[in-house]
Amino acid sequence: FRMSSPEARKTWRFLSNHTQVLLCLQRDPDVRYRDIAQTVGITERAAQRIVADLIESGYVESERVGRRNHYRVNTDAAMRHPAQEGHDVGELLRFLSPESGSA
């Protein structure tokens, strides 16, 4: 068994950018695109597209509050992949939240 090179290990991640953005919105409902982009390691424009995808798919609701957006994650929304049938996005977010700790 050979370990892959550091470059090869950086080519993929366990969580998609959509999941990473969803986690950002869950942690801070008033987060800015700039902060999402920096946290996830994507461009601001990519962050905007992903947030729009999440809103369009019903995973997130957005409300304008003054000059900012306030987001609410729909934790009851079903996971999209057939392998996660019967599970909602809230389960994933609870599992990945810092407060969940390790057992």
Side-chain angles (χ1 to χ4, degrees), residues 36-49:
I36 292 170
Q38 184 176 19
T39 299
V40 178
I42 56 178
T43 65
E44 227 174 294
R45 183 68 190 119
Q48 291 172 343
R49 280 194 306 271

PDB file of all heavy atoms in Angstrom, residues 36-49:
ATOM      1  N   ILE A  36     -17.866  33.331   3.166  1.00  0.00           N
ATOM      2  CA  ILE A  36     -18.111  31.961   2.701  1.00  0.00           C
ATOM      3  C   ILE A  36     -16.978  31.537   1.768  1.00  0.00           C
ATOM      4  O   ILE A  36     -16.396  30.464   1.926  1.00  0.00           O
ATOM      5  CB  ILE A  36     -19.462  31.854   1.963  1.00  0.00           C
ATOM      6  CG1 ILE A  36     -20.625  32.058   2.929  1.00  0.00           C
ATOM      7  CG2 ILE A  36     -19.584  30.501   1.258  1.00  0.00           C
ATOM      8  CD1 ILE A  36     -21.976  32.206   2.236  1.00  0.00           C
ATOM      9  N   ALA A  37     -16.666  32.396   0.805  1.00  0.00           N
ATOM     10  CA  ALA A  37     -15.630  32.087  -0.179  1.00  0.00           C
ATOM     11  C   ALA A  37     -14.294  31.816   0.495  1.00  0.00           C
ATOM     12  O   ALA A  37     -13.601  30.844   0.162  1.00  0.00           O
ATOM     13  CB  ALA A  37     -15.505  33.245  -1.172  1.00  0.00           C
ATOM     14  N   GLN A  38     -13.940  32.633   1.456  1.00  0.00           N
ATOM     15  CA  GLN A  38     -12.659  32.462   2.149  1.00  0.00           C
ATOM     16  C   GLN A  38     -12.644  31.163   2.949  1.00  0.00           C
ATOM     17  O   GLN A  38     -11.658  30.426   2.920  1.00  0.00           O
ATOM     18  CB  GLN A  38     -12.398  33.653   3.065  1.00  0.00           C
ATOM     19  CG  GLN A  38     -11.054  33.590   3.739  1.00  0.00           C
ATOM     20  CD  GLN A  38     -10.784  34.852   4.559  1.00  0.00           C
ATOM     21  OE1 GLN A  38     -11.684  35.594   4.904  1.00  0.00           O
ATOM     22  NE2 GLN A  38      -9.530  35.060   4.866  1.00  0.00           N
ATOM     23  N   THR A  39     -13.730  30.861   3.634  1.00  0.00           N
ATOM     24  CA  THR A  39     -13.800  29.646   4.450  1.00  0.00           C
ATOM     25  C   THR A  39     -13.725  28.385   3.597  1.00  0.00           C
ATOM     26  O   THR A  39     -13.010  27.440   3.924  1.00  0.00           O
ATOM     27  CB  THR A  39     -15.104  29.633   5.278  1.00  0.00           C
ATOM     28  OG1 THR A  39     -15.102  30.766   6.151  1.00  0.00           O
ATOM     29  CG2 THR A  39     -15.232  28.359   6.095  1.00  0.00           C
ATOM     30  N   VAL A  40     -14.455  28.383   2.484  1.00  0.00           N
ATOM     31  CA  VAL A  40     -14.545  27.197   1.637  1.00  0.00           C
ATOM     32  C   VAL A  40     -13.357  27.081   0.683  1.00  0.00           C
ATOM     33  O   VAL A  40     -13.003  25.984   0.258  1.00  0.00           O
ATOM     34  CB  VAL A  40     -15.894  27.191   0.873  1.00  0.00           C
ATOM     35  CG1 VAL A  40     -16.002  25.999  -0.065  1.00  0.00           C
ATOM     36  CG2 VAL A  40     -17.059  27.203   1.856  1.00  0.00           C
ATOM     37  N   GLY A  41     -12.742  28.208   0.358  1.00  0.00           N
ATOM     38  CA  GLY A  41     -11.628  28.187  -0.588  1.00  0.00           C
ATOM     39  C   GLY A  41     -12.089  28.270  -2.025  1.00  0.00           C
ATOM     40  O   GLY A  41     -11.533  27.617  -2.912  1.00  0.00           O
ATOM     41  N   ILE A  42     -13.135  29.069  -2.257  1.00  0.00           N
ATOM     42  CA  ILE A  42     -13.689  29.260  -3.591  1.00  0.00           C
ATOM     43  C   ILE A  42     -13.786  30.765  -3.853  1.00  0.00           C
ATOM     44  O   ILE A  42     -13.514  31.575  -2.966  1.00  0.00           O
ATOM     45  CB  ILE A  42     -15.089  28.605  -3.727  1.00  0.00           C
ATOM     46  CG1 ILE A  42     -16.057  29.144  -2.655  1.00  0.00           C
ATOM     47  CG2 ILE A  42     -14.974  27.088  -3.630  1.00  0.00           C
ATOM     48  CD1 ILE A  42     -17.477  28.596  -2.731  1.00  0.00           C
ATOM     49  N   THR A  43     -14.190  31.124  -5.057  1.00  0.00           N
ATOM     50  CA  THR A  43     -14.372  32.543  -5.364  1.00  0.00           C
ATOM     51  C   THR A  43     -15.703  33.030  -4.788  1.00  0.00           C
ATOM     52  O   THR A  43     -16.600  32.225  -4.491  1.00  0.00           O
ATOM     53  CB  THR A  43     -14.380  32.783  -6.878  1.00  0.00           C
ATOM     54  OG1 THR A  43     -15.526  32.137  -7.447  1.00  0.00           O
ATOM     55  CG2 THR A  43     -13.097  32.283  -7.531  1.00  0.00           C
ATOM     56  N   GLU A  44     -15.815  34.346  -4.678  1.00  0.00           N
ATOM     57  CA  GLU A  44     -17.065  34.933  -4.205  1.00  0.00           C
ATOM     58  C   GLU A  44     -18.215  34.598  -5.153  1.00  0.00           C
ATOM     59  O   GLU A  44     -19.325  34.319  -4.722  1.00  0.00           O
ATOM     60  CB  GLU A  44     -16.902  36.454  -4.107  1.00  0.00           C
ATOM     61  CG  GLU A  44     -17.412  37.008  -2.809  1.00  0.00           C
ATOM     62  CD  GLU A  44     -17.122  38.487  -2.656  1.00  0.00           C
ATOM     63  OE1 GLU A  44     -15.948  38.865  -2.565  1.00  0.00           O
ATOM     64  OE2 GLU A  44     -18.102  39.254  -2.613  1.00  0.00           O
ATOM     65  N   ARG A  45     -17.919  34.618  -6.444  1.00  0.00           N
ATOM     66  CA  ARG A  45     -18.940  34.293  -7.448  1.00  0.00           C
ATOM     67  C   ARG A  45     -19.403  32.842  -7.304  1.00  0.00           C
ATOM     68  O   ARG A  45     -20.589  32.541  -7.420  1.00  0.00           O
ATOM     69  CB  ARG A  45     -18.390  34.553  -8.862  1.00  0.00           C
ATOM     70  CG  ARG A  45     -19.396  34.319  -9.953  1.00  0.00           C
ATOM     71  CD  ARG A  45     -20.519  35.363  -9.902  1.00  0.00           C
ATOM     72  NE  ARG A  45     -21.570  34.972 -10.803  1.00  0.00           N
ATOM     73  CZ  ARG A  45     -22.822  34.701 -10.452  1.00  0.00           C
ATOM     74  NH1 ARG A  45     -23.197  34.819  -9.195  1.00  0.00           N
ATOM     75  NH2 ARG A  45     -23.714  34.337 -11.333  1.00  0.00           N
ATOM     76  N   ALA A  46     -18.479  31.940  -7.045  1.00  0.00           N
ATOM     77  CA  ALA A  46     -18.848  30.534  -6.830  1.00  0.00           C
ATOM     78  C   ALA A  46     -19.717  30.410  -5.579  1.00  0.00           C
ATOM     79  O   ALA A  46     -20.684  29.642  -5.570  1.00  0.00           O
ATOM     80  CB  ALA A  46     -17.605  29.663  -6.715  1.00  0.00           C
ATOM     81  N   ALA A  47     -19.394  31.155  -4.546  1.00  0.00           N
ATOM     82  CA  ALA A  47     -20.203  31.135  -3.322  1.00  0.00           C
ATOM     83  C   ALA A  47     -21.622  31.612  -3.628  1.00  0.00           C
ATOM     84  O   ALA A  47     -22.596  31.009  -3.164  1.00  0.00           O
ATOM     85  CB  ALA A  47     -19.562  32.002  -2.240  1.00  0.00           C
ATOM     86  N   GLN A  48     -21.759  32.668  -4.426  1.00  0.00           N
ATOM     87  CA  GLN A  48     -23.081  33.170  -4.809  1.00  0.00           C
ATOM     88  C   GLN A  48     -23.871  32.118  -5.574  1.00  0.00           C
ATOM     89  O   GLN A  48     -25.066  31.914  -5.320  1.00  0.00           O
ATOM     90  CB  GLN A  48     -22.944  34.427  -5.677  1.00  0.00           C
ATOM     91  CG  GLN A  48     -22.434  35.626  -4.931  1.00  0.00           C
ATOM     92  CD  GLN A  48     -22.132  36.794  -5.868  1.00  0.00           C
ATOM     93  OE1 GLN A  48     -22.013  36.627  -7.086  1.00  0.00           O
ATOM     94  NE2 GLN A  48     -21.999  37.974  -5.298  1.00  0.00           N
ATOM     95  N   ARG A  49     -23.204  31.443  -6.517  1.00  0.00           N
ATOM     96  CA  ARG A  49     -23.882  30.400  -7.313  1.00  0.00           C
ATOM     97  C   ARG A  49     -24.348  29.253  -6.425  1.00  0.00           C
ATOM     98  O   ARG A  49     -25.451  28.736  -6.588  1.00  0.00           O
ATOM     99  CB  ARG A  49     -22.961  29.864  -8.406  1.00  0.00           C
ATOM    100  CG  ARG A  49     -22.871  30.742  -9.632  1.00  0.00           C
ATOM    101  CD  ARG A  49     -22.230  30.018 -10.809  1.00  0.00           C
ATOM    102  NE  ARG A  49     -20.930  29.445 -10.490  1.00  0.00           N
ATOM    103  CZ  ARG A  49     -19.768  30.076 -10.614  1.00  0.00           C
ATOM    104  NH1 ARG A  49     -19.734  31.316 -11.035  1.00  0.00           N
ATOM    105  NH2 ARG A  49     -18.646  29.473 -10.315  1.00  0.00           N
TER     106      ARG A  49
END
